[in-house]
Amino acid sequence: MAGKILVVEDDAITRNNVCLLLSEEGYEVDQAGDGVQALEILARQAFDLVLSDIMMPRMDGLKLLQRVQSISPQTPVMIMTSYLSASSVPPQGAAEFIWKPFLVDDLLFKVDRALHNGSWEEPS
């Protein structure tokens, strides 16, 4: 397997599409509809990467990022959003950052880079 990823996204269509795409690329994927559900899943199993939206009910992606950093600091968190401006900087502590809608190749490249500690190697 290429890695185990938890996809956290409140929009079911986006979440299912991202999970399908990552699964087809060989990743083992689990999913959560918000940050609270993600923390429940993270309490039961470890992941190589958390890929999270920012704007979600109950617990947003920035709060989830902080919680993951405190309970599992070795797990990188990649943030995706359509709510920040192009001049915005990635949230502090995020391994990667991508704006929605995104190109499939861009998502896969950034997931690969986040899984490999931010190295700039081309994905294989």
Side-chain angles (χ1 to χ4, degrees), residues 40-85:
E40 292 168 357
I41 294 169
L42 286 163
R44 296 189 308 265
Q45 56 188 302
F47 290 86
D48 299 310
L49 177 66
V50 174
L51 173 57
S52 179
D53 189 20
I54 289 183
M55 300 295 288
M56 297 180 292
R58 300 199 305 162
M59 179 187 293
D60 68 28
L62 297 178
K63 185 67 165 177
L64 176 62
L65 170 63
Q66 293 171 348
R67 295 290 300 274
V68 171
Q69 288 178 322
S70 70
I71 63 172
S72 184
Q74 74 283 1
T75 304
V77 178
M78 181 173 160
I79 297 293
M80 56 183 171
T81 190
S82 58
Y83 292 99
L84 295 178
S85 70

